[in-house]
Amino acid sequence: MAPELPPQASDPPPQASDPPPQASEWRPLNARITVVWRCTWFLAGVPVGVLLTVAVLVAAGPVGGSWFLTALVPVLVAAAVGGAGSVLWVPRRYAAWRYRFGPDALEIERGVIWRTISAVPYQRIQQVEIEHGPIQRRLGMVSLRAMTAAALSLASLPGISTTDAGDLRSWLLHRAGRDDGA
Amino acid sequence: MTGVSLAVPAHARRLHPLTPMRAAVQFARNGAVSFVLFLVAHPGSGIVLGTLALAAFGLRCLQLFRTRYTLDDVELTVWLGILNRTTRVVSPARVQRVEVTRKLWHRVAGLAVVRVELAGAALDPLRIELDALGVAEAERVRDALERGRRLGRETPPGKGDRADGPDATGDADEARTADRPVPEAAPEAPVLVRLGAGMLALGGLTGLPMLIVPPFVVSGAFQLRNLFQNVVDDATQSATRSLLDATLPVLAALGLVLVAAWLAAAAGMMVIRYHGFRLSLAGDDVLVRHGLLETRTTVIPLRRVHLVDEHAAFARRWFHLTAITVRTASGDGRGRTVPVARTATVAGLPALLLRRDDLPTTTQHHPSAARRRAFVRRLAGTVPAAAVGSLGLTVWTAGAADLAVVAGAGAIGAAVAWWWARAWFGRLGHALHDGVLLVTDGVVVSHRRHVPLVRAQSIAVTRTPFQRRVGLCTVRVHLAGNGQVSVPDVSAEQALRIVEALPGLGPIDQAHWHTRLAEVVSPRRAAPSRPPLTMARWRLLLRCRAR
């Protein structure tokens, strides 16, 4: 049983009259998403480092009496936080992510500590959003969010290839129901 | 929907001419104190301040004057703003709730406020408030919205929600092009629930706010006793002692009066807010009317209901009372649909509100691992908190830690945690019947939540590390708006049954879900559930230890 979609760039554009989708495989995210997550960890370390530096400055003055060493603290902290996150967290997070385009619902599995499996029926989808930050743009990726009338629905797929995103959005919207169930 | 005209048509209506007066009162109320204080501090600034206040009031009046609306069977259009102009178009078929409110000022001036809520009305753009219209005009708007809603509902079969039948969709353009006759308004059915002043007063006295009275009284009594003890210890003169002896009864009486006033206020507020409460069915809508000073008429379409919650604080359970809240996707959920009623009187109301013949009454019990988890969670939270709290208290008051007090507090904490966990697990349950999920939980306030799964948006099953060790999971059913209903600590099989009951979900990858949900981190801890530790089992265990 061949998985129908997600569409590839070479696929013809989806039609409303497409046959009902067959069960597809669970698939991991694009491996390049780990680069984005690692960058996020490094960036998250910067404010921690700055706060730590300010605290040290207030409590004991410049580190070792040198402003150069003091200025190095945020860099070192960011490197430490980013390195730890990259090594300890990102691989686990990537391994925990799976998604599947089922016949009637988008199924997503994710979470390292709190593991969640969710199912969002296509007919409840109201809107599909495509987001891409600077790092994602550089890597040719986007995040695709299928939104329902529920604010708490979990239907966000990071690391979708830019070339596939448009087709995937059309595919999802063609399967979105006329009623939002609200 | 046809194109929206950005220009305001000539026949667009405005708010009532008296509305600026209401704005003036609000303006004076909000700004009077600051105005006077500033004037006292800077007496020379009166002219400047007065000019600024007048300009702000004028701007507000202009804003109200610029608010215009049109309404037909297909759409309600509202134009707002002076510089930044907004046009909001609402299809009556999408309306979740219509509310007509009249505060005392409105009643004196013959005005009413119409509030129209769409799904997600917690956000401003999804809520339209026409404040204020004449009473006749407000009723005309309400009736027109209802007529438009009924017209929009007559959608041809096969174009609606697969799960919810043909009446679930509400595209206004179809209604416009269909050119069908407007269905007649359904006559209002007899009143289903009517509440008298006695019942409302009882509801006020047994509501949740009253729970803080006993701790308040006990704490106040202890504080007074300590205060007087210290003063009496220091007082050496007999005159001081006699004065204190005379003052004590007065203070005690004052405390009693305060508590009585508190209780009277609680009962009185309930009576004033819900005076003349009537709930009736009009066709496919629920009509709720109540209020003494502020009258409120709410119309809730039954087909929009996605949660019916029967809830009762423990004091109400003693009197066999309950309250019912009906939620739609508007997500606002202000107030309760039925504030209080005899449990037996409203027993059939949830089924009626959900348009079902019957609802599940008995619930499935959760695995015994859930019971153990409940005990561990409560003990882990309560005992350290009680011990640390008492340690802090003894150090603060006596200057040194009293281990006996700390140990005693820990023991009391353990006893409370034991009772709490037992009561929590006793009330925990869920059931599935006729597409309705029933979830019961709560100790201080018990809940019976009925969710028609046909209105659920999505579903998620979550497992924390602790749950994974004992083979449990939590199911979350997401509802439109901000709502969700959780079923905590169910087994993998129970979770899958709930997931599969969600209409419109189709065949999920059961093998994968089952593997993931049944995956246990530590097989040692996932041994077949042990029997609960009853007294007989305790005796048996102790006997074995003794041998």
Side-chain angles (χ1 to χ4, degrees):
Chain A
M1 196 177 289
E4 190 222 10
L5 284 171
Q8 300 302 310
S10 56
D11 287 346
Q15 301 295 322
S17 58
D18 277 353
Q22 306 297 313
S24 71
E25 300 293 325
W26 285 86
R27 60 188 68 197
L29 294 177
N30 188 331
R32 280 180 297 172
I33 192 66
T34 55
V35 178
V36 180
W37 291 344
R38 286 194 171 103
C39 291
T40 311
W41 269 99
F42 278 103
L43 290 174
V46 173
V48 178
V50 170
L51 282 177
L52 196 67
T53 311
V54 171
V56 168
L57 273 174
V58 170
V63 178
S66 162
W67 286 102
F68 175 72
L69 286 178
T70 309
L72 268 183
V73 171
V75 179
L76 292 175
V77 170
V81 171
S86 298
V87 173
L88 299 176
W89 188 257
V90 171
R92 285 181 171 80
R93 187 180 175 192
Y94 179 74
W97 254 100
R98 290 277 185 284
Y99 67 94
R100 168 181 182 262
F101 291 94
D104 290 310
L106 170 60
E107 297 167 50
I108 296 175
E109 182 186 350
R110 69 179 190 182
V112 178
I113 296 175
W114 285 273
R115 291 192 188 161
T116 301
I117 309 183
S118 62
V120 181
Y122 299 132
Q123 67 176 20
R124 293 297 194 223
I125 291 175
Q126 288 196 322
Q127 181 181 342
V128 181
E129 271 187 13
I130 292 177
E131 296 173 342
H132 44 125
I135 306 172
Q136 282 188 316
R137 276 203 299 275
R138 185 86 180 162
L139 295 169
M141 289 188 307
V142 297
S143 291
L144 191 137
R145 289 175 64 195
M147 301 166 86
T148 69
L152 300 170
S153 285
L154 304 168
S156 179
L157 293 177
I160 302 293
S161 159
T162 307
T163 49
D164 293 346
D167 289 344
L168 193 52
R169 179 179 59 184
S170 307
W171 187 83
L172 282 171
L173 286 174
H174 273 100
R175 275 151 190 80
R178 286 178 58 82
D179 180 49
D180 54 13
Chain B
M1 194 169 288
T2 55
V4 177
S5 166
L6 293 177
V8 185
H11 66 274
R13 290 170 174 268
R14 295 183 195 278
L15 299 179
H16 196 277
L18 285 178
T19 307
M21 276 183 63
R22 160 88 171 146
V25 172
Q26 276 180 333
F27 201 76
R29 192 183 60 194
N30 296 338
V33 176
S34 334
F35 185 83
V36 169
L37 285 178
F38 198 84
L39 207 60
V40 169
H42 306 278
S45 61
I47 296 173
V48 178
L49 271 183
T51 311
L52 284 176
L54 212 60
F57 175 65
L59 205 64
R60 175 71 182 140
C61 287
L62 188 61
Q63 203 176 22
L64 293 170
F65 180 75
R66 296 280 302 185
T67 302
R68 279 157 294 180
Y69 66 95
T70 59
L71 177 64
D72 56 27
D73 293 337
V74 177
E75 60 194 29
L76 165 67
T77 310
V78 182
W79 290 269
L80 305 159
I82 304 166
L83 295 177
N84 295 324
R85 294 181 187 171
T86 306
T87 306
R88 286 186 188 158
V89 184
V90 173
S91 161
R94 288 293 188 197
V95 169
Q96 296 281 333
R97 174 200 287 248
V98 181
E99 207 170 70
V100 178
T101 314
R102 299 184 72 199
K103 292 185 177 174
L104 190 57
W105 188 90
H106 294 113
R107 293 171 69 182
V108 170
L111 301 177
V113 179
V114 178
R115 186 183 166 100
V116 182
E117 294 177 1
L118 303 180
L123 302 171
D124 183 52
L126 300 170
R127 187 178 58 223
I128 286 178
E129 203 166 70
L130 297 173
D131 184 4
L133 308 176
V135 176
E137 175 65 5
E139 284 174 356
R140 190 191 74 82
V141 169
R142 191 190 63 195
D143 293 345
L145 282 169
E146 190 193 347
R147 197 169 58 245
R149 195 157 47 80
R150 277 184 281 113
L151 187 68
R153 205 162 55 206
E154 301 288 311
T155 310
K159 294 199 172 184
D161 184 353
R162 273 175 284 171
D164 200 24
D167 71 337
T169 188
D171 276 5
D173 47 349
E174 282 178 20
R176 188 196 289 278
T177 53
D179 196 22
R180 292 182 302 278
V182 181
E184 287 300 319
E188 189 174 332
V191 176
L192 295 176
V193 182
R194 192 191 297 270
L195 299 177
M199 174 60 71
L200 289 171
L202 187 58
L205 292 173
T206 52
L208 200 56
M210 286 299 97
L211 290 180
I212 63 170
V213 171
F216 175 75
V217 170
V218 171
S219 161
F222 271 104
Q223 291 293 330
L224 274 178
R225 198 199 65 156
N226 290 341
L227 176 72
F228 275 87
Q229 193 66 49
N230 294 337
V231 174
V232 167
D233 287 346
D234 295 341
T236 51
Q237 295 179 359
S238 59
T240 313
R241 280 178 179 277
S242 60
L243 182 64
L244 288 172
D245 289 343
T247 316
L248 265 176
V250 174
L251 283 173
L254 191 65
L256 284 176
V257 168
L258 278 176
V259 170
W262 183 294
L263 294 174
M269 294 289 281
M270 189 85 159
V271 172
I272 289 171
R273 186 171 179 194
Y274 291 103
H275 171 77
F277 181 93
R278 281 177 297 158
L279 181 143
S280 55
L281 281 184
D284 285 344
D285 300 334
V286 183
L287 205 61
V288 183
R289 293 193 179 101
H290 61 81
L292 183 63
L293 300 178
E294 177 183 333
T295 59
R296 194 178 288 257
T297 306
T298 309
V299 180
I300 306 172
L302 282 178
R303 54 193 283 274
R304 299 289 189 197
V305 173
H306 68 204
L307 174 66
V308 176
D309 184 6
E310 299 173 77
H311 47 97
F314 69 82
R316 285 191 179 170
R317 293 205 292 274
W318 294 337
F319 291 94
H320 300 286
L321 300 175
T322 189
I324 295 179
T325 299
V326 177
R327 297 252 189 245
T328 64
S330 69
D332 200 3
R334 290 168 304 145
R336 287 151 186 184
T337 311
V338 180
V340 63
R342 296 261 175 227
T343 308
T345 312
V346 293
L349 194 58
L352 204 66
L353 293 170
L354 293 172
R355 299 190 293 182
R356 297 291 196 283
D357 294 331
D358 58 342
L359 290 175
T361 49
T362 55
T363 56
Q364 284 183 31
H365 284 293
H366 291 210
S368 54
R371 179 202 298 264
R372 286 200 299 278
R373 187 161 180 260
F375 280 105
V376 171
R377 286 180 71 186
R378 267 67 186 180
L379 284 170
T382 314
V383 176
V388 169
S390 61
L391 182 66
L393 201 64
T394 51
V395 169
W396 184 48
T397 53
D402 188 340
L403 285 181
V405 172
V406 174
I412 292 171
V416 170
W418 185 271
W419 168 82
W420 193 279
R422 195 172 164 179
W424 184 84
F425 184 76
R427 290 212 52 84
L428 186 64
H430 75 277
L432 273 169
H433 176 72
D434 193 18
V436 174
L437 172 67
L438 165 67
V439 184
T440 60
D441 62 2
V443 176
V444 177
V445 181
S446 65
H447 290 270
R448 283 175 69 84
R449 297 184 176 92
H450 305 271
V451 183
L453 288 176
V454 73
R455 305 223 70 80
Q457 294 289 321
S458 60
I459 198 161
V461 185
T462 307
R463 310 181 76 210
T464 67
F466 299 107
Q467 285 180 315
R468 289 206 296 275
R469 290 173 73 86
V470 291
L472 297 174
C473 40
T474 297
V475 180
R476 291 198 166 85
V477 179
H478 301 136
L479 303 171
N482 281 322
Q484 73 167 358
V485 171
S486 295
V487 193
D489 292 346
V490 290
S491 66
E493 289 74 21
Q494 289 173 326
L496 268 178
R497 268 201 294 276
I498 298 172
V499 170
E500 286 163 3
L502 196 74
L505 197 58
I508 55 166
D509 186 356
Q510 288 189 19
H512 182 88
W513 280 65
H514 194 273
T515 308
R516 289 304 194 186
L517 295 181
E519 184 186 32
V520 174
V521 173
S522 166
R524 281 185 298 113
R525 300 291 299 272
S529 56
R530 285 173 287 183
L533 287 173
T534 57
M535 288 307 289
R537 190 166 155 74
W538 272 111
R539 281 193 207 103
L540 189 66
L541 283 171
L542 291 173
R543 238 178 260 156
C544 291
R545 292 273 165 85
R547 282 173 193 165

mmCIF file of all heavy atoms in Angstrom, chain B residues 333-354:
data_model
loop_
_atom_site.group_PDB
_atom_site.id
_atom_site.type_symbol
_atom_site.label_atom_id
_atom_site.label_comp_id
_atom_site.label_asym_id
_atom_site.label_seq_id
_atom_site.Cartn_x
_atom_site.Cartn_y
_atom_site.Cartn_z
ATOM 1 N N GLY B 333 -18.011 31.982 28.524
ATOM 2 C CA GLY B 333 -18.491 31.190 29.648
ATOM 3 C C GLY B 333 -18.711 31.973 30.919
ATOM 4 O O GLY B 333 -18.468 31.480 32.014
ATOM 5 N N ARG B 334 -19.168 33.218 30.819
ATOM 6 C CA ARG B 334 -19.406 33.987 32.027
ATOM 7 C C ARG B 334 -20.625 33.455 32.744
ATOM 8 O O ARG B 334 -21.641 33.153 32.126
ATOM 9 C CB ARG B 334 -19.616 35.461 31.687
ATOM 10 C CG ARG B 334 -18.368 36.143 31.205
ATOM 11 C CD ARG B 334 -18.691 37.479 30.618
ATOM 12 N NE ARG B 334 -19.664 37.347 29.555
ATOM 13 C CZ ARG B 334 -20.606 38.235 29.309
ATOM 14 N NH1 ARG B 334 -20.718 39.284 30.051
ATOM 15 N NH2 ARG B 334 -21.436 38.053 28.313
ATOM 16 N N GLY B 335 -20.496 33.318 34.045
ATOM 17 C CA GLY B 335 -21.634 32.901 34.835
ATOM 18 C C GLY B 335 -22.008 31.450 34.604
ATOM 19 O O GLY B 335 -21.354 30.725 33.858
ATOM 20 N N ARG B 336 -23.049 31.045 35.273
ATOM 21 C CA ARG B 336 -23.499 29.671 35.157
ATOM 22 C C ARG B 336 -24.855 29.647 34.498
ATOM 23 O O ARG B 336 -25.687 30.522 34.743
ATOM 24 C CB ARG B 336 -23.599 29.041 36.542
ATOM 25 C CG ARG B 336 -22.231 28.756 37.102
ATOM 26 C CD ARG B 336 -22.230 28.810 38.573
ATOM 27 N NE ARG B 336 -20.855 28.672 39.043
ATOM 28 C CZ ARG B 336 -20.529 28.614 40.300
ATOM 29 N NH1 ARG B 336 -21.452 28.665 41.221
ATOM 30 N NH2 ARG B 336 -19.280 28.500 40.652
ATOM 31 N N THR B 337 -25.092 28.642 33.723
ATOM 32 C CA THR B 337 -26.369 28.560 33.043
ATOM 33 C C THR B 337 -27.474 28.307 34.054
ATOM 34 O O THR B 337 -28.521 28.946 34.021
ATOM 35 C CB THR B 337 -26.309 27.457 31.981
ATOM 36 O OG1 THR B 337 -25.127 27.658 31.222
ATOM 37 C CG2 THR B 337 -27.497 27.523 31.064
ATOM 38 N N VAL B 338 -27.256 27.334 34.958
ATOM 39 C CA VAL B 338 -28.180 27.132 36.077
ATOM 40 C C VAL B 338 -27.340 27.291 37.338
ATOM 41 O O VAL B 338 -26.497 26.451 37.632
ATOM 42 C CB VAL B 338 -28.814 25.722 36.028
ATOM 43 C CG1 VAL B 338 -29.763 25.542 37.203
ATOM 44 C CG2 VAL B 338 -29.538 25.510 34.716
ATOM 45 N N PRO B 339 -27.534 28.367 38.105
ATOM 46 C CA PRO B 339 -26.621 28.635 39.226
ATOM 47 C C PRO B 339 -26.735 27.629 40.358
ATOM 48 O O PRO B 339 -25.739 27.313 41.005
ATOM 49 C CB PRO B 339 -27.027 30.036 39.690
ATOM 50 C CG PRO B 339 -28.428 30.208 39.220
ATOM 51 C CD PRO B 339 -28.558 29.419 37.969
ATOM 52 N N VAL B 340 -27.945 27.143 40.607
ATOM 53 C CA VAL B 340 -28.147 26.143 41.660
ATOM 54 C C VAL B 340 -29.524 25.514 41.434
ATOM 55 O O VAL B 340 -30.448 26.179 40.956
ATOM 56 C CB VAL B 340 -28.046 26.787 43.066
ATOM 57 C CG1 VAL B 340 -29.124 27.821 43.294
ATOM 58 C CG2 VAL B 340 -28.080 25.739 44.152
ATOM 59 N N ALA B 341 -29.629 24.242 41.760
ATOM 60 C CA ALA B 341 -30.926 23.561 41.646
ATOM 61 C C ALA B 341 -30.825 22.235 42.373
ATOM 62 O O ALA B 341 -29.718 21.743 42.637
ATOM 63 C CB ALA B 341 -31.283 23.324 40.173
ATOM 64 N N ARG B 342 -31.980 21.683 42.734
ATOM 65 C CA ARG B 342 -31.993 20.345 43.334
ATOM 66 C C ARG B 342 -31.466 19.353 42.305
ATOM 67 O O ARG B 342 -31.866 19.395 41.130
ATOM 68 C CB ARG B 342 -33.417 19.956 43.713
ATOM 69 C CG ARG B 342 -34.007 20.832 44.782
ATOM 70 C CD ARG B 342 -33.915 20.188 46.150
ATOM 71 N NE ARG B 342 -34.378 21.112 47.158
ATOM 72 C CZ ARG B 342 -33.736 21.369 48.292
ATOM 73 N NH1 ARG B 342 -32.589 20.768 48.556
ATOM 74 N NH2 ARG B 342 -34.216 22.202 49.166
ATOM 75 N N THR B 343 -30.601 18.470 42.743
ATOM 76 C CA THR B 343 -30.006 17.502 41.814
ATOM 77 C C THR B 343 -31.085 16.678 41.112
ATOM 78 O O THR B 343 -31.002 16.436 39.901
ATOM 79 C CB THR B 343 -29.049 16.574 42.587
ATOM 80 O OG1 THR B 343 -28.151 17.385 43.336
ATOM 81 C CG2 THR B 343 -28.245 15.705 41.643
ATOM 82 N N ALA B 344 -32.103 16.270 41.857
ATOM 83 C CA ALA B 344 -33.155 15.438 41.262
ATOM 84 C C ALA B 344 -33.959 16.224 40.220
ATOM 85 O O ALA B 344 -34.392 15.670 39.210
ATOM 86 C CB ALA B 344 -34.079 14.921 42.358
ATOM 87 N N THR B 345 -34.119 17.521 40.445
ATOM 88 C CA THR B 345 -34.938 18.334 39.541
ATOM 89 C C THR B 345 -34.293 18.476 38.165
ATOM 90 O O THR B 345 -34.982 18.482 37.148
ATOM 91 C CB THR B 345 -35.125 19.755 40.135
ATOM 92 O OG1 THR B 345 -35.515 19.616 41.484
ATOM 93 C CG2 THR B 345 -36.157 20.549 39.371
ATOM 94 N N VAL B 346 -32.966 18.602 38.138
ATOM 95 C CA VAL B 346 -32.283 18.850 36.856
ATOM 96 C C VAL B 346 -31.543 17.610 36.356
ATOM 97 O O VAL B 346 -30.654 17.712 35.513
ATOM 98 C CB VAL B 346 -31.299 20.038 36.981
ATOM 99 C CG1 VAL B 346 -32.030 21.328 37.219
ATOM 100 C CG2 VAL B 346 -30.278 19.784 38.080
ATOM 101 N N ALA B 347 -31.936 16.443 36.857
ATOM 102 C CA ALA B 347 -31.217 15.217 36.478
ATOM 103 C C ALA B 347 -31.268 14.978 34.966
ATOM 104 O O ALA B 347 -30.304 14.518 34.373
ATOM 105 C CB ALA B 347 -31.781 14.033 37.235
ATOM 106 N N GLY B 348 -32.408 15.315 34.354
ATOM 107 C CA GLY B 348 -32.548 15.036 32.922
ATOM 108 C C GLY B 348 -32.107 16.184 32.028
ATOM 109 O O GLY B 348 -32.138 16.062 30.800
ATOM 110 N N LEU B 349 -31.706 17.304 32.646
ATOM 111 C CA LEU B 349 -31.398 18.492 31.847
ATOM 112 C C LEU B 349 -30.171 18.310 30.933
ATOM 113 O O LEU B 349 -30.213 18.723 29.765
ATOM 114 C CB LEU B 349 -31.206 19.697 32.772
ATOM 115 C CG LEU B 349 -31.200 21.058 32.094
ATOM 116 C CD1 LEU B 349 -32.484 21.297 31.320
ATOM 117 C CD2 LEU B 349 -30.977 22.164 33.114
ATOM 118 N N PRO B 350 -29.056 17.694 31.413
ATOM 119 C CA PRO B 350 -27.910 17.517 30.504
ATOM 120 C C PRO B 350 -28.270 16.753 29.233
ATOM 121 O O PRO B 350 -27.836 17.130 28.135
ATOM 122 C CB PRO B 350 -26.892 16.758 31.356
ATOM 123 C CG PRO B 350 -27.201 17.159 32.747
ATOM 124 C CD PRO B 350 -28.694 17.298 32.787
ATOM 125 N N ALA B 351 -29.082 15.701 29.358
ATOM 126 C CA ALA B 351 -29.472 14.929 28.166
ATOM 127 C C ALA B 351 -30.285 15.807 27.219
ATOM 128 O O ALA B 351 -30.104 15.767 25.993
ATOM 129 C CB ALA B 351 -30.275 13.708 28.593
ATOM 130 N N LEU B 352 -31.142 16.634 27.797
ATOM 131 C CA LEU B 352 -31.963 17.530 26.977
ATOM 132 C C LEU B 352 -31.092 18.562 26.259
ATOM 133 O O LEU B 352 -31.291 18.856 25.076
ATOM 134 C CB LEU B 352 -32.955 18.244 27.905
ATOM 135 C CG LEU B 352 -34.230 18.773 27.280
ATOM 136 C CD1 LEU B 352 -35.081 17.625 26.793
ATOM 137 C CD2 LEU B 352 -34.996 19.594 28.310
ATOM 138 N N LEU B 353 -30.108 19.097 26.974
ATOM 139 C CA LEU B 353 -29.231 20.117 26.387
ATOM 140 C C LEU B 353 -28.338 19.536 25.295
ATOM 141 O O LEU B 353 -27.953 20.237 24.369
ATOM 142 C CB LEU B 353 -28.354 20.747 27.478
ATOM 143 C CG LEU B 353 -29.091 21.575 28.529
ATOM 144 C CD1 LEU B 353 -28.176 21.943 29.681
ATOM 145 C CD2 LEU B 353 -29.668 22.835 27.905
ATOM 146 N N LEU B 354 -28.015 18.251 25.426
ATOM 147 C CA LEU B 354 -27.155 17.612 24.425
ATOM 148 C C LEU B 354 -27.968 16.865 23.377
ATOM 149 O O LEU B 354 -27.406 16.168 22.540
ATOM 150 C CB LEU B 354 -26.174 16.648 25.104
ATOM 151 C CG LEU B 354 -25.141 17.328 25.993
ATOM 152 C CD1 LEU B 354 -24.340 16.318 26.785
ATOM 153 C CD2 LEU B 354 -24.202 18.186 25.151
#
